[in-house]
Amino acid sequence: MRIGVQLGYSGGFKEAAEQVVELERVGIDAVAVAEAYSYDAVSQLGYLAAKTSTVELVSGVLPIYTRTPSLLAMTAAGLDFVSDGRFRLGLGTSGPQVVEGFHGLPFDAPLGRTREVVEICRQVWRREAPLQYTGKNYQVPLPAEHGTGLGKALKLINHPVRQSIPISIAALGPKNVELTAEIAEGWQPVFFHPEKAHDVWGPALAAGSAKRDPALGPLDVMVGVTLAIGDDVEDRLAWAKPQLALYIGGMGARGRNFYHNVATRYGFGEVADRIQELFLSGRKTEAIAAVPDELVRAVSLIGPRGFVAEQVAAFAAAGVTTLLVAPLSADPAEAVRYVETLRELT
């Protein structure tokens, strides 16, 4: 099992990069940089490319709506170039709250757009011919009836380091997970419950895998988890609750919140409803307090060494191939020790 780290939305590039350099020294395999409505992920990934030498750099994730497919392909090729072939393009739809609320773009056709973005990126990287693509959501070049008629097919000027840059997709819904298992090298689920994962996602993964091109190789299941290892880390459960409360309660509206749906499918429906009710009414502190320890433990690596070892085994049994950890510590040295201990356990 590969071990990586997942950087949060906030914090300084330089401070985060210094910690990643130290974690690279102790043997981590990857670092994922999130993007929501803080700084963009690309700037930090470029900075990390200059500061590191071996770790895989992952966008975790770039929303497909906020950049054109061609720009996503150009950006991925550029990051792969400056990192000497160490970049993985993590894509996702994000959600209406970010796409419509922050970017002012319609959140429409997520499945169709995801497939077409992946197809266009791979066509751009191959450089077999000037880019020509006719899909339901994207047409390149733009047809004359929708533009000036002056656009012509173009080919990426640079030769990418790799003609096939790995793509991972953040997906939660059954249809999106099925699509991911069909077309992507990796899958980035959030709040992964190893004991419930097969019931929630097994049929979708199986359906997508049945249509998968063998040339893509096995699906890399890349799971983000909070991390604290020791006999005195029980208090860190509370550290993990604000993010769960934000996503389950605040990332979306009633009836349209992907993370709330996942918690419900895990068997925490009443709790999820309560968290959402509190969060959307502005009672965020109460929403955080309503997140049960049981849920935090199920989707995290927080506890004594023996418990974490058992949890790692459960993740592996559920098909997880990469753990992207977020150490719960205000002390950089302690965070590194957590990762070193996890490396020993895997």
Side-chain angles (χ1 to χ4, degrees):
M1 183 180 289
R2 298 197 310 157
I3 302 297
V5 293
Q6 188 159 12
L7 303 185
Y9 302 129
S10 59
F13 287 5
K14 294 179 180 180
E15 294 83 357
E18 291 306 315
Q19 185 172 52
V20 170
V21 168
E22 179 64 16
L23 290 169
E24 183 180 57
R25 184 188 64 78
V26 301
I28 64 165
D29 302 292
V31 55
V33 179
E35 181 174 289
Y37 46 98
S38 181
Y39 292 136
D40 71 292
V42 176
S43 298
Q44 188 158 11
L45 286 162
Y47 190 84
L48 285 168
K51 289 287 187 176
T52 60
S53 58
T54 61
V55 296
E56 182 179 58
L57 306 175
V58 185
S59 56
V61 297
L62 298 182
I64 62 171
Y65 293 93
T66 59
R67 298 169 176 87
T68 67
S70 297
L71 179 56
L72 283 166
M74 293 163 61
T75 299
L79 286 170
D80 207 45
F81 173 74
V82 298
S83 65
D84 297 319
R86 291 187 286 128
F87 180 65
R88 175 187 290 258
L89 178 59
L91 298 172
T93 59
S94 187
Q97 180 143 354
V98 172
V99 174
E100 296 182 357
F102 190 65
H103 293 283
L105 298 169
F107 186 86
D108 62 353
L111 286 172
R113 288 186 183 276
T114 299
R115 183 184 290 275
E116 292 182 22
V117 165
V118 170
E119 291 175 349
I120 292 170
C121 282
R122 288 174 173 157
Q123 187 174 332
V124 169
W125 298 330
R126 289 195 298 268
R127 295 186 76 256
E128 294 172 346
L131 176 61
Q132 291 186 295
Y133 186 88
T134 302
K136 184 176 180 180
N137 302 285
Y138 302 102
Q139 297 85 42
V140 187
L142 189 68
E145 60 267 27
H146 298 302
T148 64
L150 299 176
K152 67 175 184 178
L154 299 171
K155 183 165 60 174
L156 187 69
I157 293 173
N158 311 83
H159 289 260
V161 173
R162 294 180 290 176
Q163 288 190 337
S164 181
I165 296 170
I167 293 175
S168 293
I169 298 175
L172 293 177
K175 291 297 183 182
N176 211 357
V177 170
E178 179 179 338
L179 177 67
T180 299
E182 177 190 349
I183 68 172
E185 282 88 355
W187 173 40
Q188 292 177 243
V190 68
F191 307 140
F192 189 92
H193 190 322
E195 295 181 359
K196 303 285 187 179
H198 179 74
D199 293 337
V200 173
W201 290 304
L205 290 169
S209 296
K211 297 176 284 185
R212 185 179 181 82
D213 183 346
L216 291 172
L219 185 68
D220 187 2
V221 181
M222 310 173 71
V223 171
V225 291
T226 47
L227 174 71
I229 304 175
D231 296 326
D232 56 350
V233 297
E234 189 75 6
D235 64 311
R236 307 303 164 89
L237 293 172
W239 292 30
K241 291 183 179 184
Q243 185 187 40
L244 281 161
L246 169 63
Y247 277 74
I248 294 171
M251 283 293 188
R254 290 180 179 87
R256 196 171 187 187
N257 180 317
F258 309 128
Y259 312 99
H260 178 284
N261 293 345
V262 169
T264 299
R265 295 170 74 190
Y266 285 163
F268 292 90
E270 291 185 10
V271 170
D273 288 344
R274 180 60 176 160
I275 294 169
Q276 186 177 65
E277 176 188 349
L278 291 167
F279 202 98
L280 295 181
S281 64
R283 298 155 67 185
K284 296 181 181 180
T285 301
E286 293 177 64
I288 292 168
V291 177
D293 290 354
E294 179 187 359
L295 177 58
V296 179
R297 284 195 178 91
V299 300
S300 304
L301 296 174
I302 302 173
R305 185 184 179 103
F307 170 80
V308 171
E310 293 176 359
Q311 188 76 337
V312 167
F315 277 111
V320 175
T321 49
T322 300
L323 288 171
L324 296 171
V325 304
L328 297 176
S329 178
D331 178 359
E334 183 179 57
V336 171
R337 288 198 299 273
Y338 288 162
V339 176
E340 287 182 301
T341 303
L342 180 62
R343 170 59 75 193
E344 295 170 7
L345 296 176
T346 57

mmCIF file of all heavy atoms in Angstrom, residues 300-336:
data_model
loop_
_atom_site.group_PDB
_atom_site.id
_atom_site.type_symbol
_atom_site.label_atom_id
_atom_site.label_comp_id
_atom_site.label_asym_id
_atom_site.label_seq_id
_atom_site.Cartn_x
_atom_site.Cartn_y
_atom_site.Cartn_z
ATOM 1 N N SER A 300 -11.157 7.031 9.569
ATOM 2 C CA SER A 300 -9.876 7.646 9.912
ATOM 3 C C SER A 300 -8.891 6.604 10.428
ATOM 4 O O SER A 300 -9.219 5.424 10.589
ATOM 5 C CB SER A 300 -10.075 8.732 10.982
ATOM 6 O OG SER A 300 -10.997 9.699 10.572
ATOM 7 N N LEU A 301 -7.676 7.069 10.684
ATOM 8 C CA LEU A 301 -6.646 6.261 11.338
ATOM 9 C C LEU A 301 -6.231 7.002 12.600
ATOM 10 O O LEU A 301 -5.192 7.654 12.662
ATOM 11 C CB LEU A 301 -5.447 6.055 10.408
ATOM 12 C CG LEU A 301 -5.703 5.267 9.121
ATOM 13 C CD1 LEU A 301 -4.463 5.277 8.229
ATOM 14 C CD2 LEU A 301 -6.110 3.828 9.434
ATOM 15 N N ILE A 302 -7.070 6.924 13.621
ATOM 16 C CA ILE A 302 -6.834 7.634 14.871
ATOM 17 C C ILE A 302 -6.958 6.643 16.023
ATOM 18 O O ILE A 302 -8.018 6.045 16.235
ATOM 19 C CB ILE A 302 -7.861 8.777 15.082
ATOM 20 C CG1 ILE A 302 -7.804 9.773 13.919
ATOM 21 C CG2 ILE A 302 -7.599 9.488 16.398
ATOM 22 C CD1 ILE A 302 -8.890 10.833 13.979
ATOM 23 N N GLY A 303 -5.859 6.446 16.743
ATOM 24 C CA GLY A 303 -5.907 5.538 17.868
ATOM 25 C C GLY A 303 -4.565 4.903 18.142
ATOM 26 O O GLY A 303 -3.538 5.262 17.543
ATOM 27 N N PRO A 304 -4.525 3.945 19.063
ATOM 28 C CA PRO A 304 -3.278 3.244 19.373
ATOM 29 C C PRO A 304 -2.740 2.491 18.164
ATOM 30 O O PRO A 304 -3.471 2.199 17.206
ATOM 31 C CB PRO A 304 -3.689 2.278 20.495
ATOM 32 C CG PRO A 304 -4.951 2.831 21.047
ATOM 33 C CD PRO A 304 -5.642 3.505 19.912
ATOM 34 N N ARG A 305 -1.486 2.142 18.253
ATOM 35 C CA ARG A 305 -0.806 1.478 17.140
ATOM 36 C C ARG A 305 -1.555 0.212 16.698
ATOM 37 O O ARG A 305 -1.723 -0.025 15.504
ATOM 38 C CB ARG A 305 0.624 1.134 17.582
ATOM 39 C CG ARG A 305 1.495 0.538 16.496
ATOM 40 C CD ARG A 305 2.856 0.154 17.058
ATOM 41 N NE ARG A 305 3.699 -0.451 16.041
ATOM 42 C CZ ARG A 305 4.698 0.173 15.427
ATOM 43 N NH1 ARG A 305 4.972 1.428 15.720
ATOM 44 N NH2 ARG A 305 5.421 -0.452 14.514
ATOM 45 N N GLY A 306 -2.016 -0.583 17.651
ATOM 46 C CA GLY A 306 -2.706 -1.820 17.290
ATOM 47 C C GLY A 306 -4.004 -1.558 16.541
ATOM 48 O O GLY A 306 -4.323 -2.252 15.555
ATOM 49 N N PHE A 307 -4.776 -0.561 17.001
ATOM 50 C CA PHE A 307 -6.022 -0.221 16.320
ATOM 51 C C PHE A 307 -5.752 0.251 14.900
ATOM 52 O O PHE A 307 -6.434 -0.152 13.952
ATOM 53 C CB PHE A 307 -6.779 0.855 17.089
ATOM 54 C CG PHE A 307 -7.945 1.430 16.331
ATOM 55 C CD1 PHE A 307 -9.156 0.748 16.284
ATOM 56 C CD2 PHE A 307 -7.825 2.632 15.634
ATOM 57 C CE1 PHE A 307 -10.233 1.264 15.562
ATOM 58 C CE2 PHE A 307 -8.891 3.148 14.909
ATOM 59 C CZ PHE A 307 -10.094 2.457 14.877
ATOM 60 N N VAL A 308 -4.751 1.102 14.741
ATOM 61 C CA VAL A 308 -4.442 1.629 13.416
ATOM 62 C C VAL A 308 -3.995 0.504 12.486
ATOM 63 O O VAL A 308 -4.367 0.468 11.303
ATOM 64 C CB VAL A 308 -3.382 2.740 13.501
ATOM 65 C CG1 VAL A 308 -2.901 3.147 12.111
ATOM 66 C CG2 VAL A 308 -3.940 3.944 14.240
ATOM 67 N N ALA A 309 -3.219 -0.450 13.012
ATOM 68 C CA ALA A 309 -2.802 -1.595 12.192
ATOM 69 C C ALA A 309 -4.011 -2.388 11.703
ATOM 70 O O ALA A 309 -4.075 -2.805 10.541
ATOM 71 C CB ALA A 309 -1.862 -2.495 12.992
ATOM 72 N N GLU A 310 -4.979 -2.601 12.585
ATOM 73 C CA GLU A 310 -6.199 -3.308 12.191
ATOM 74 C C GLU A 310 -6.986 -2.513 11.151
ATOM 75 O O GLU A 310 -7.535 -3.089 10.201
ATOM 76 C CB GLU A 310 -7.079 -3.559 13.416
ATOM 77 C CG GLU A 310 -6.484 -4.544 14.418
ATOM 78 C CD GLU A 310 -7.342 -4.675 15.663
ATOM 79 O OE1 GLU A 310 -8.387 -3.980 15.743
ATOM 80 O OE2 GLU A 310 -6.976 -5.469 16.559
ATOM 81 N N GLN A 311 -7.027 -1.208 11.333
ATOM 82 C CA GLN A 311 -7.759 -0.354 10.387
ATOM 83 C C GLN A 311 -7.078 -0.337 9.022
ATOM 84 O O GLN A 311 -7.738 -0.378 7.981
ATOM 85 C CB GLN A 311 -7.873 1.060 10.954
ATOM 86 C CG GLN A 311 -8.772 1.992 10.171
ATOM 87 C CD GLN A 311 -10.252 1.739 10.386
ATOM 88 O OE1 GLN A 311 -10.665 0.648 10.771
ATOM 89 N NE2 GLN A 311 -11.064 2.747 10.108
ATOM 90 N N VAL A 312 -5.752 -0.301 9.012
ATOM 91 C CA VAL A 312 -5.016 -0.355 7.743
ATOM 92 C C VAL A 312 -5.316 -1.666 7.021
ATOM 93 O O VAL A 312 -5.532 -1.690 5.800
ATOM 94 C CB VAL A 312 -3.502 -0.199 7.989
ATOM 95 C CG1 VAL A 312 -2.710 -0.562 6.740
ATOM 96 C CG2 VAL A 312 -3.176 1.233 8.411
ATOM 97 N N ALA A 313 -5.343 -2.770 7.771
ATOM 98 C CA ALA A 313 -5.665 -4.063 7.172
ATOM 99 C C ALA A 313 -7.078 -4.055 6.594
ATOM 100 O O ALA A 313 -7.332 -4.639 5.527
ATOM 101 C CB ALA A 313 -5.518 -5.175 8.211
ATOM 102 N N ALA A 314 -8.002 -3.376 7.284
ATOM 103 C CA ALA A 314 -9.379 -3.286 6.784
ATOM 104 C C ALA A 314 -9.438 -2.477 5.496
ATOM 105 O O ALA A 314 -10.156 -2.842 4.550
ATOM 106 C CB ALA A 314 -10.273 -2.655 7.848
ATOM 107 N N PHE A 315 -8.689 -1.394 5.436
ATOM 108 C CA PHE A 315 -8.636 -0.604 4.206
ATOM 109 C C PHE A 315 -8.069 -1.443 3.054
ATOM 110 O O PHE A 315 -8.588 -1.409 1.933
ATOM 111 C CB PHE A 315 -7.787 0.651 4.408
ATOM 112 C CG PHE A 315 -8.511 1.807 5.033
ATOM 113 C CD1 PHE A 315 -8.215 2.234 6.322
ATOM 114 C CD2 PHE A 315 -9.497 2.488 4.330
ATOM 115 C CE1 PHE A 315 -8.883 3.303 6.894
ATOM 116 C CE2 PHE A 315 -10.178 3.561 4.896
ATOM 117 C CZ PHE A 315 -9.868 3.972 6.186
ATOM 118 N N ALA A 316 -7.006 -2.170 3.327
ATOM 119 C CA ALA A 316 -6.406 -3.003 2.288
ATOM 120 C C ALA A 316 -7.382 -4.072 1.805
ATOM 121 O O ALA A 316 -7.509 -4.328 0.604
ATOM 122 C CB ALA A 316 -5.121 -3.647 2.806
ATOM 123 N N ALA A 317 -8.082 -4.701 2.749
ATOM 124 C CA ALA A 317 -9.057 -5.730 2.386
ATOM 125 C C ALA A 317 -10.194 -5.155 1.554
ATOM 126 O O ALA A 317 -10.800 -5.858 0.734
ATOM 127 C CB ALA A 317 -9.605 -6.390 3.646
ATOM 128 N N ALA A 318 -10.492 -3.868 1.741
ATOM 129 C CA ALA A 318 -11.560 -3.215 0.984
ATOM 130 C C ALA A 318 -11.089 -2.706 -0.369
ATOM 131 O O ALA A 318 -11.867 -2.103 -1.108
ATOM 132 C CB ALA A 318 -12.125 -2.048 1.790
ATOM 133 N N GLY A 319 -9.816 -2.952 -0.698
ATOM 134 C CA GLY A 319 -9.310 -2.598 -2.023
ATOM 135 C C GLY A 319 -8.523 -1.316 -2.101
ATOM 136 O O GLY A 319 -8.125 -0.893 -3.195
ATOM 137 N N VAL A 320 -8.262 -0.668 -0.966
ATOM 138 C CA VAL A 320 -7.508 0.583 -0.979
ATOM 139 C C VAL A 320 -6.049 0.301 -1.307
ATOM 140 O O VAL A 320 -5.428 -0.593 -0.734
ATOM 141 C CB VAL A 320 -7.624 1.301 0.381
ATOM 142 C CG1 VAL A 320 -6.736 2.547 0.421
ATOM 143 C CG2 VAL A 320 -9.074 1.669 0.659
ATOM 144 N N THR A 321 -5.484 1.065 -2.231
ATOM 145 C CA THR A 321 -4.092 0.873 -2.649
ATOM 146 C C THR A 321 -3.198 2.054 -2.275
ATOM 147 O O THR A 321 -1.980 1.920 -2.255
ATOM 148 C CB THR A 321 -4.015 0.646 -4.166
ATOM 149 O OG1 THR A 321 -4.771 1.666 -4.832
ATOM 150 C CG2 THR A 321 -4.594 -0.713 -4.535
ATOM 151 N N THR A 322 -3.809 3.222 -1.999
ATOM 152 C CA THR A 322 -3.050 4.399 -1.596
ATOM 153 C C THR A 322 -3.788 5.108 -0.470
ATOM 154 O O THR A 322 -4.977 5.403 -0.601
ATOM 155 C CB THR A 322 -2.864 5.389 -2.771
ATOM 156 O OG1 THR A 322 -2.168 4.745 -3.846
ATOM 157 C CG2 THR A 322 -2.067 6.608 -2.333
ATOM 158 N N LEU A 323 -3.086 5.374 0.629
ATOM 159 C CA LEU A 323 -3.636 6.161 1.721
ATOM 160 C C LEU A 323 -3.031 7.563 1.656
ATOM 161 O O LEU A 323 -1.810 7.724 1.703
ATOM 162 C CB LEU A 323 -3.310 5.530 3.071
ATOM 163 C CG LEU A 323 -4.062 4.241 3.438
ATOM 164 C CD1 LEU A 323 -3.462 3.625 4.704
ATOM 165 C CD2 LEU A 323 -5.546 4.520 3.638
ATOM 166 N N LEU A 324 -3.886 8.570 1.527
ATOM 167 C CA LEU A 324 -3.453 9.966 1.533
ATOM 168 C C LEU A 324 -3.824 10.550 2.890
ATOM 169 O O LEU A 324 -4.987 10.832 3.150
ATOM 170 C CB LEU A 324 -4.142 10.736 0.404
ATOM 171 C CG LEU A 324 -3.806 10.271 -1.013
ATOM 172 C CD1 LEU A 324 -4.715 10.962 -2.026
ATOM 173 C CD2 LEU A 324 -2.337 10.534 -1.346
ATOM 174 N N VAL A 325 -2.840 10.694 3.753
ATOM 175 C CA VAL A 325 -3.128 11.007 5.150
ATOM 176 C C VAL A 325 -2.995 12.503 5.424
ATOM 177 O O VAL A 325 -2.216 13.205 4.779
ATOM 178 C CB VAL A 325 -2.211 10.213 6.105
ATOM 179 C CG1 VAL A 325 -2.340 8.715 5.850
ATOM 180 C CG2 VAL A 325 -0.751 10.645 5.964
ATOM 181 N N ALA A 326 -3.773 12.945 6.396
ATOM 182 C CA ALA A 326 -3.672 14.304 6.923
ATOM 183 C C ALA A 326 -3.367 14.184 8.410
ATOM 184 O O ALA A 326 -4.271 13.927 9.210
ATOM 185 C CB ALA A 326 -4.973 15.063 6.695
ATOM 186 N N PRO A 327 -2.104 14.282 8.813
ATOM 187 C CA PRO A 327 -1.762 14.143 10.231
ATOM 188 C C PRO A 327 -2.430 15.211 11.079
ATOM 189 O O PRO A 327 -2.420 16.392 10.733
ATOM 190 C CB PRO A 327 -0.231 14.303 10.234
ATOM 191 C CG PRO A 327 0.198 13.974 8.845
ATOM 192 C CD PRO A 327 -0.910 14.471 7.973
ATOM 193 N N LEU A 328 -3.007 14.783 12.196
ATOM 194 C CA LEU A 328 -3.691 15.700 13.106
ATOM 195 C C LEU A 328 -2.713 16.106 14.203
ATOM 196 O O LEU A 328 -2.650 15.499 15.269
ATOM 197 C CB LEU A 328 -4.930 15.030 13.701
ATOM 198 C CG LEU A 328 -6.015 14.646 12.697
ATOM 199 C CD1 LEU A 328 -7.140 13.893 13.394
ATOM 200 C CD2 LEU A 328 -6.568 15.878 11.995
ATOM 201 N N SER A 329 -1.929 17.119 13.917
ATOM 202 C CA SER A 329 -0.944 17.584 14.886
ATOM 203 C C SER A 329 -0.549 19.014 14.559
ATOM 204 O O SER A 329 -0.432 19.386 13.389
ATOM 205 C CB SER A 329 0.301 16.699 14.881
ATOM 206 O OG SER A 329 1.265 17.195 15.788
ATOM 207 N N ALA A 330 -0.343 19.802 15.602
ATOM 208 C CA ALA A 330 0.173 21.157 15.425
ATOM 209 C C ALA A 330 1.698 21.175 15.450
ATOM 210 O O ALA A 330 2.310 22.216 15.208
ATOM 211 C CB ALA A 330 -0.371 22.062 16.527
ATOM 212 N N ASP A 331 2.298 20.025 15.730
ATOM 213 C CA ASP A 331 3.756 19.895 15.823
ATOM 214 C C ASP A 331 4.265 19.168 14.578
ATOM 215 O O ASP A 331 3.977 17.979 14.392
ATOM 216 C CB ASP A 331 4.113 19.103 17.078
ATOM 217 C CG ASP A 331 5.609 18.883 17.235
ATOM 218 O OD1 ASP A 331 6.388 19.337 16.359
ATOM 219 O OD2 ASP A 331 6.010 18.234 18.214
ATOM 220 N N PRO A 332 5.021 19.829 13.696
ATOM 221 C CA PRO A 332 5.506 19.186 12.478
ATOM 222 C C PRO A 332 6.287 17.898 12.747
ATOM 223 O O PRO A 332 6.162 16.931 11.996
ATOM 224 C CB PRO A 332 6.395 20.250 11.832
ATOM 225 C CG PRO A 332 5.847 21.549 12.344
ATOM 226 C CD PRO A 332 5.402 21.259 13.748
ATOM 227 N N ALA A 333 7.081 17.886 13.802
ATOM 228 C CA ALA A 333 7.858 16.683 14.112
ATOM 229 C C ALA A 333 6.945 15.530 14.494
ATOM 230 O O ALA A 333 7.181 14.371 14.111
ATOM 231 C CB ALA A 333 8.842 16.977 15.245
ATOM 232 N N GLU A 334 5.890 15.811 15.243
ATOM 233 C CA GLU A 334 4.941 14.768 15.608
ATOM 234 C C GLU A 334 4.211 14.249 14.379
ATOM 235 O O GLU A 334 3.992 13.034 14.238
ATOM 236 C CB GLU A 334 3.928 15.299 16.624
ATOM 237 C CG GLU A 334 2.939 14.240 17.112
ATOM 238 C CD GLU A 334 1.975 14.795 18.136
ATOM 239 O OE1 GLU A 334 1.280 15.795 17.822
ATOM 240 O OE2 GLU A 334 1.910 14.247 19.261
ATOM 241 N N ALA A 335 3.852 15.147 13.468
ATOM 242 C CA ALA A 335 3.183 14.734 12.237
ATOM 243 C C ALA A 335 4.065 13.772 11.438
ATOM 244 O O ALA A 335 3.582 12.772 10.902
ATOM 245 C CB ALA A 335 2.834 15.962 11.395
ATOM 246 N N VAL A 336 5.351 14.072 11.373
ATOM 247 C CA VAL A 336 6.276 13.185 10.664
ATOM 248 C C VAL A 336 6.348 11.832 11.366
ATOM 249 O O VAL A 336 6.372 10.778 10.715
ATOM 250 C CB VAL A 336 7.676 13.836 10.564
ATOM 251 C CG1 VAL A 336 8.694 12.823 10.029
ATOM 252 C CG2 VAL A 336 7.625 15.063 9.656
#
